[in-house]
Amino acid sequence: AGVPRDQVATVYNGVDLERFCPGDKNAARGELELHRADSIILFVGNFYPIKNPMLLVRAHAELCDQNPNRVYRLIMIGDGPQMSAARQEADNLGFSKWVQFPGRISPDQVAGYMRAADALCVPSDNEGVPNVILEAFATGLGVVATDVGGIPEVMPHEFLGTLVESNDAAQMAGAIRDEIDRESRTKSISDYAGGFSWKKTASAYFDVLKNAT
C-alpha cells in the first residue's frame, strides 16, 4: 500500500487465557453429554461461503466412510445462511447422525467444547487470523486448517497442527485423522498460546502508540 515497511507493526488479537485454558477432557465431555470413546472434531464460525463449512462436512463424511469402526463426531458451532445446506449435505452423505449443530453459544461454552474436542478444523477459503485458532491453542487443542490468509503466520510449528490445501476434502480428512491419532501436546500448544494474551496485545499497542512520531 506504499507505507514504508519499517513503519508497519503487526499486533495480533489477544485471547482470554483464563477462559480458554486446558482442562480435563473426560470431565468436559461429561458436562456436554459426549461419549468418551468418540473422536470429536470441532468447527466454530459463521456458516458463510468464505468459511466453506461444506468442505468440512464432506471431509467428515469421507473420514467416516473410510473408518467404519470408529465414531467421528463433528460438532459445528455457529450460525449463518449455509447452516441448512450443511445439514442437508451431511444427511445426503449418510452421516448426519454424527453431526451436531449447537448454534450460537457463549464463549464459556465454546471453551468447554474445545476442552472436549480432539481437533479444531478451519476449512475457510480465505481468512485474516482467526481468533478461534488462538483460542483453540490456548486450550491445548491441535488445529487442522486451510493454508490461506494469515493462518500460516500463527501456525509456524508442526506440533500446533496441520495446514492443508483449500477445497481438498480428502486431504483434510486424512489430516484430521492424523491429528486425532497423534500423541497429546496439550502443554506445548497452550504454552505457545501464552504469546497471544490480551496483556501482551495491549502492551504491543502501547509500544506502537508511545513510539509514534
Side-chain angles (χ1 to χ4, degrees):
V3 178
R5 182 175 295 274
D6 62 0
Q7 294 184 27
V8 175
T10 300
V11 181
Y12 293 104
N13 283 338
V15 177
D16 183 345
L17 299 180
E18 292 185 2
R19 170 178 287 142
F20 293 94
C21 58
D24 185 279
K25 179 180 288 188
N26 287 330
R29 291 189 177 196
E31 291 174 5
L32 295 167
E33 298 183 350
L34 298 170
H35 199 285
R36 292 187 178 187
D38 291 355
S39 296
I40 298 177
I41 306 153
L42 192 63
F43 168 91
V44 182
N46 295 311
F47 283 74
Y48 294 138
I50 197 168
K51 299 294 186 179
N52 205 0
M54 309 301 284
L55 173 64
L56 180 52
V57 172
R58 293 193 294 271
H60 171 256
E62 187 157 340
L63 193 59
C64 292
D65 189 53
Q66 292 178 356
N67 302 271
N69 296 322
R70 296 180 64 173
V71 175
Y72 290 97
R73 187 177 299 277
L74 173 59
I75 300 174
M76 304 190 77
I77 296 171
D79 198 359
Q82 284 200 327
M83 178 181 279
S84 294
R87 287 181 184 272
Q88 187 61 54
E89 184 73 355
D91 190 50
N92 292 342
L93 293 169
F95 295 101
S96 58
K97 67 178 179 179
W98 302 128
V99 185
Q100 296 176 218
F101 296 88
R104 291 191 184 278
I105 59 178
S106 71
D108 284 332
Q109 290 172 304
V110 170
Y113 274 102
M114 286 182 171
R115 283 188 279 271
D118 294 300
L120 176 81
C121 194
V122 180
S124 303
D125 286 336
N126 196 16
E127 282 286 358
V129 174
N131 246 46
V132 67
I133 290 181
L134 306 182
E135 290 164 353
F137 288 159
T139 65
L141 184 62
V143 175
V144 174
T146 46
D147 189 2
V148 299
I151 293 175
E153 292 182 33
V154 293
M155 290 185 62
H157 308 297
E158 187 270 343
F159 70 85
L160 296 170
T162 306
L163 295 171
V164 299
E165 296 178 12
S166 58
N167 279 312
D168 190 331
Q171 187 183 28
M172 178 164 284
I176 293 170
R177 182 196 61 236
D178 292 345
E179 176 62 33
I180 290 172
D181 290 345
R182 292 175 71 179
E183 291 185 2
S184 174
R185 295 101 58 212
T186 299
K187 187 178 187 307
S188 297
I189 295 173
S190 62
D191 284 350
Y192 169 77
F196 297 96
S197 69
W198 274 116
K199 182 177 181 180
K200 290 190 176 183
T201 296
S203 177
Y205 274 118
F206 180 78
D207 288 342
V208 170
L209 294 172
K210 182 175 64 176
N211 296 322
T213 57

